[in-house]
Amino acid sequence: MKYYELAILKSPLCNLTYQSEEDIQIGTKVLVKLARMKKLCDAVVIKEVEKPSFKCVNIETITDEYYDHMMLETSIFISKYYVCSIGEALSIYTAFDKSLEVEFEKKHFNCDIELSPKQQEAFDFLKTKKQALLFANTGSGKTEVYIKAIAQHLNEQKQAVLLMPEISLTPQMQKRLEKVFDTSVAIWHSKVTKKKKKEIIQKVLNGEIRLIAGARSSLFLPFKNLGIVVVDEEHDESYKSDSKPRLQTKDLSLYITKKFDIQLILGSATPSISSFKKVPYYRLKQTFFKSKKFIDFDDSDANLSPKILNKINQTLKNEHQVIIFLPTRANFKYQICTSCGKSVECPFCSVSMSLHKNDLALKCHYCGYTQKIPEVCPSCNSGVIHNLRVGTAQIEEELNAAFPEKIIKRFDRDEIKTDTKLKAVLNDFNKNKIDILVGTQMLSKGHDYHNVKLAVVLGIDSVLNMNSYKAREKALSLLIQIAGRSGRKGEGEVIVQTKNQDFFEYYFQEADYKDFLDEELEFREDLYPPYVKMARIIFAHTNGLKVKDELDKYVKILKADENIEVVGFGQCAIFKIANRYRYEIIIRSTSVKSILQSLHGINSTMATIDMDTSH
């Protein structure tokens, strides 16, 4: 009889020991019985162990599916660093059938992209450094450098991953990649069907597909001979997972590439402070198209001031297109009563409901609860509801009233729900069938719009005033990214609605983003990442008293730990989500070992741990 330690997939349980008469290879996926579970559970063989002192249960089924050495090693690291079980960490990977693995046949890719002297310098720098950052201005042609680097590895019969922050990047990038790599490239993200995903994995294993381009989960496919990982727009927040394990894919790609000797290119026009500080970088400033940027500011309180409407009108008259950015989707973010001043809150979450006029409803963007628009305030039963903080749908409505002859489209998650819709809207916009595109963050994600001559930025102050040490970095980065969508060829104009003109004007016009990063590093020293490690522990439960007791218990324990500092604790900014009351503790330390020790000491079913939090 043989004894094996198994990690139960998707389960927070520690590894368990089972027995089998057969020899089982480490990494094999098996099916086992768990107490009180009718259905068999998926588990992975982690190691063979000595016969334990207790009685073991048999492994029921040995499958053909398998997790390789790289997947196992990385999952063990994830479980330690992001504080979860090995089973939860392994669940992010896609297992594969060993029998489908074949020797790759030789393929050659003709990459006839001519690099400019500066791009060539960048390419050579990235090659010598193994893990490096391409700090490249918008329009400087970083994609050409990526493609050239990927082609080099593919011609050595290796595989490549190109990570992108949002699915909104894929249609345009797909065309560019297919031009060089033809059918050897596949696009991977959440909107790809199950059937298509299965087909892609088979082709990755048999060598038909050598390059995977897509969202963060692309990193976790079964690669046999990975040569390069490229993380485009590496500063983007969507690389951080908001479900357990709460890992940061960009940081994890740094770990994987160092550990397994793989080339890594991080790329951004506005790199994150941590990458700028930790990774050698090459600064690529020169842009392909001679483009001039004019920036103007507007501090009015109107949604669309006469100044903004006038600028839009001029641009449209000259037969150019306009993009308008807001941080908020729907019509309005807050519904406030004019009499009692209370907002209309979701009954299950302590957040304001958002107004969706087209659906004649108020919706909660956290739990999805929907109700009809109240005629009077539900709190005082007399006041009139007033709308605050405008959203994309409201701006679209006001633009339709101001420019009835023009085609105006929304580009946000309420409107763009499928990959097909996304491609259709971008296609129409690039063919000049849409005059104005109104959208949220999705708009800032690296699209090339050659006829856009005006970018309007509304609501940027709500980003700058966020309760986060990263607020300045996020706001400035966002403005630069959106401004980069205007005037890709020729002249472009940006108009920003803000009460903080001095901050944006200085860094946007007089200084360089590198100056901002240098100054921000000085400000963060001894207090915030990248100089210290920060973590957030969130306690959530339907019983408010129970969860408060749990918080108090751990505040006491953590305050007694001399190697870490409790920065703050109390109710979360959003106190209730989906009827669960939420409290948090934020801790920091200069020692990774100390912070991880204290986090691994938290043994509570109510707790979720967010390592490297941005709060």
Side-chain angles (χ1 to χ4, degrees):
M1 192 63 79
K2 305 257 180 186
Y3 298 90
Y4 298 100
E5 194 177 290
L6 308 184
I8 312 295
L9 285 175
K10 295 184 179 171
S11 164
L13 292 171
C14 295
N15 293 348
L16 302 172
T17 306
Y18 283 78
Q19 65 183 29
S20 173
E21 286 179 357
E22 292 183 51
D23 269 334
I24 310 174
Q25 191 180 349
I26 304 303
T28 301
K29 188 171 164 181
V30 294
L31 301 177
V32 293
K33 270 185 184 160
L34 263 186
R36 296 191 295 280
M37 298 275 276
K38 282 182 183 171
K39 219 172 138 197
L40 291 178
C41 297
D42 292 337
V44 183
V45 177
I46 300 297
K47 60 181 175 187
E48 193 178 340
V49 290
E50 293 291 313
K51 182 182 178 179
S53 55
F54 49 84
K55 193 171 178 266
C56 287
V57 178
N58 285 325
I59 288 170
E60 296 283 326
T61 312
I62 300 164
T63 75
D64 292 330
E65 289 188 83
Y66 170 77
Y67 293 84
D68 66 21
H69 170 68
M70 187 165 151
M71 293 171 169
L72 289 173
E73 285 272 298
T74 309
S75 296
I76 290 165
F77 167 77
I78 290 169
S79 73
K80 287 176 182 165
Y81 188 80
Y82 292 103
V83 193
C84 63
S85 71
I86 295 176
E88 285 169 322
L90 269 167
S91 303
I92 62 170
Y93 276 103
T94 305
F96 62 99
D97 186 338
K98 288 195 292 275
S99 65
L100 294 175
E101 274 194 305
V102 292
E103 272 304 307
F104 289 179
E105 59 181 76
K106 280 208 159 176
K107 275 190 183 185
H108 184 76
F109 300 92
N110 283 325
C111 181
D112 50 11
I113 292 171
E114 282 294 313
L115 297 182
S116 70
K118 286 286 175 198
Q119 283 176 313
Q120 188 61 47
E121 256 181 49
F123 176 81
D124 295 337
F125 175 86
L126 298 168
K127 215 165 119 180
T128 57
K129 288 289 181 250
K130 208 73 180 181
Q131 281 86 29
L133 167 68
L134 181 56
F135 184 170
N137 282 16
T138 308
S140 60
K142 58 181 164 52
T143 309
E144 282 82 0
V145 180
Y146 297 161
I147 292 173
K148 204 85 174 165
I150 289 168
Q152 194 176 40
H153 286 278
L154 265 52
N155 284 331
E156 290 167 6
Q157 309 315 309
K158 290 185 175 177
Q159 295 162 307
V161 179
L162 168 56
L163 296 180
M164 295 174 283
E166 286 275 342
I167 59 165
S168 56
L169 267 178
T170 55
Q172 224 167 1
M173 191 64 98
Q174 190 171 357
K175 279 184 199 148
R176 294 176 80 170
L177 296 172
E178 282 171 355
K179 208 173 155 187
V180 180
F181 306 112
D182 197 21
T183 56
S184 293
V185 59
I187 303 297
W188 183 277
H189 51 70
S190 58
K191 301 274 192 293
V192 176
T193 62
K194 227 176 177 178
K195 189 183 169 192
K196 182 74 178 155
K197 281 185 173 176
K198 203 175 172 186
E199 191 188 307
I200 290 171
I201 286 169
Q202 266 183 312
K203 288 183 175 179
V204 167
L205 290 170
N206 68 23
E208 272 183 72
I209 287 171
R210 302 287 170 95
L211 164 63
I212 292 282
R216 61 177 188 236
S217 54
S218 310
L219 187 64
F220 308 117
L221 298 188
F223 298 102
K224 196 166 71 167
N225 192 9
L226 193 55
I228 183 170
V229 175
V230 178
V231 185
D232 189 29
E233 309 292 358
E234 66 84 35
H235 65 277
D236 199 279
E237 293 279 298
S238 62
Y239 284 122
K240 176 88 189 250
S241 166
D242 50 13
S243 58
K244 203 173 175 187
R246 290 181 174 230
L247 51 90
Q248 165 51 279
T249 314
K250 175 205 50 179
D251 293 346
L252 196 58
S253 61
L254 257 167
Y255 168 81
I256 291 169
T257 52
K258 268 188 180 159
K259 174 103 179 150
F260 299 101
D261 196 30
I262 295 163
Q263 187 183 357
L264 173 71
I265 299 175
L266 303 174
S268 176
T270 56
S272 62
I273 285 191
S274 64
S275 300
F276 175 70
K277 171 93 169 65
K278 291 175 187 170
V279 184
Y281 70 87
Y282 181 89
R283 187 81 170 95
L284 187 59
K285 278 185 173 182
Q286 203 177 36
T287 54
F288 269 127
F289 307 112
K290 288 285 160 249
S291 67
K292 271 187 172 174
K293 280 276 168 13
F294 300 99
I295 187 162
D296 203 350
F297 294 92
D298 174 46
D299 69 352
S300 84
D301 293 317
N303 297 339
L304 290 168
S305 67
K307 184 177 180 178
I308 290 173
L309 287 169
N310 191 23
K311 282 257 161 66
I312 294 172
N313 193 29
Q314 277 175 341
T315 310
L316 296 175
K317 264 188 182 162
N318 294 332
E319 297 190 345
H320 295 309
Q321 291 164 295
V322 177
I323 61 169
I324 298 180
F325 166 84
L326 292 99
T328 310
R329 58 193 217 263
N331 287 74
F332 289 97
K333 187 70 178 167
Y334 306 117
Q335 314 305 310
I336 308 285
C337 170
T338 47
S339 298
C340 69
K342 288 200 172 150
S343 64
V344 182
E345 284 200 344
C346 166
F348 306 106
C349 310
S350 52
V351 290
S352 293
M353 307 270 277
S354 295
L355 175 70
H356 289 250
K357 270 191 195 164
N358 292 353
D359 302 327
L360 299 172
L362 294 182
K363 281 185 188 173
C364 172
H365 285 172
Y366 285 85
C367 74
Y369 172 78
T370 306
Q371 71 173 59
K372 76 178 181 50
I373 301 165
E375 283 168 29
V376 290
C377 169
S379 294
C380 67
N381 293 318
S382 63
V384 182
I385 300 295
H386 177 64
N387 305 309
L388 286 183
R389 203 164 130 202
V390 66
T392 45
Q394 182 62 25
I395 291 294
E396 180 192 21
E397 206 174 289
E398 291 182 24
L399 287 166
N400 277 321
F403 306 103
E405 309 294 309
K406 299 296 178 186
I407 308 291
I408 296 149
K409 278 269 192 280
R410 256 193 307 146
F411 196 68
D412 60 25
R413 290 214 169 122
D414 293 323
E415 199 58 30
I416 309 287
K417 288 182 175 153
T418 64
D419 203 24
T420 319
K421 184 81 186 270
L422 176 101
K423 286 180 181 172
V425 172
L426 287 182
N427 227 353
D428 285 353
F429 194 58
N430 279 327
K431 286 180 180 167
N432 289 339
K433 289 181 186 173
I434 297 168
D435 299 298
I436 306 174
L437 202 54
V438 184
T440 52
Q441 240 109 322
M442 284 170 92
L443 262 188
S444 68
K445 304 281 195 276
H447 306 285
D448 283 333
Y449 310 121
H450 288 300
N451 193 30
V452 172
K453 294 291 184 240
L454 175 66
V456 180
V457 183
L458 306 173
I460 194 100
D461 287 351
S462 67
V463 181
L464 188 63
N465 298 326
M466 279 166 48
N467 185 17
S468 163
Y469 68 88
K470 281 188 176 176
R472 281 156 48 101
E473 183 187 351
K474 279 182 189 171
L476 188 60
S477 160
L478 194 55
L479 178 59
I480 291 169
Q481 293 287 338
I482 297 157
R485 308 296 132 234
S486 158
R488 301 284 279 193
K489 288 177 181 170
E491 290 184 351
E493 214 172 333
V494 184
I495 184 160
V496 186
Q497 191 185 60
T498 179
K499 304 279 183 196
N500 297 281
Q501 180 175 337
D502 291 352
F503 171 73
F504 290 116
E505 194 169 29
Y506 173 69
Y507 287 115
F508 197 83
Q509 283 187 308
E510 295 168 46
D512 181 68
Y513 195 70
K514 182 187 173 297
D515 301 326
F516 168 74
L517 292 172
D518 287 332
E519 285 174 32
E520 193 70 2
L521 278 170
E522 273 181 46
F523 158 71
R524 290 194 192 178
E525 201 156 0
D526 302 329
L527 292 171
Y528 298 111
Y531 297 102
V532 298
K533 285 283 172 194
M534 282 184 89
R536 180 176 178 226
I537 307 127
I538 303 152
F539 297 89
H541 200 274
T542 49
N543 183 324
L545 293 172
K546 228 178 184 176
V547 69
K548 176 74 169 72
D549 286 347
E550 194 80 340
L551 172 93
D552 293 342
K553 174 183 144 185
Y554 278 103
V555 166
K556 214 171 174 182
I557 292 168
L558 292 166
K559 278 190 166 178
D561 188 336
E562 289 170 10
N563 300 313
I564 61 156
E565 180 192 351
V566 174
V567 180
F569 60 91
Q571 293 181 3
C572 290
I574 299 167
F575 182 39
K576 194 168 77 166
I577 291 183
N579 245 354
R580 288 161 68 82
Y581 296 91
R582 302 162 75 243
Y583 288 90
E584 65 184 6
I585 306 174
I586 292 166
I587 60 172
R588 71 178 161 208
S589 176
T590 49
S591 155
V592 183
K593 196 180 169 194
S594 299
I595 204 164
L596 287 177
Q597 254 173 353
S598 61
L599 292 171
H600 279 281
I602 293 166
N603 184 19
S604 167
T605 52
M606 298 182 205
T608 323
I609 286 159
D610 182 10
M611 182 62 177
D612 294 332
T613 182
S614 60
H615 282 68

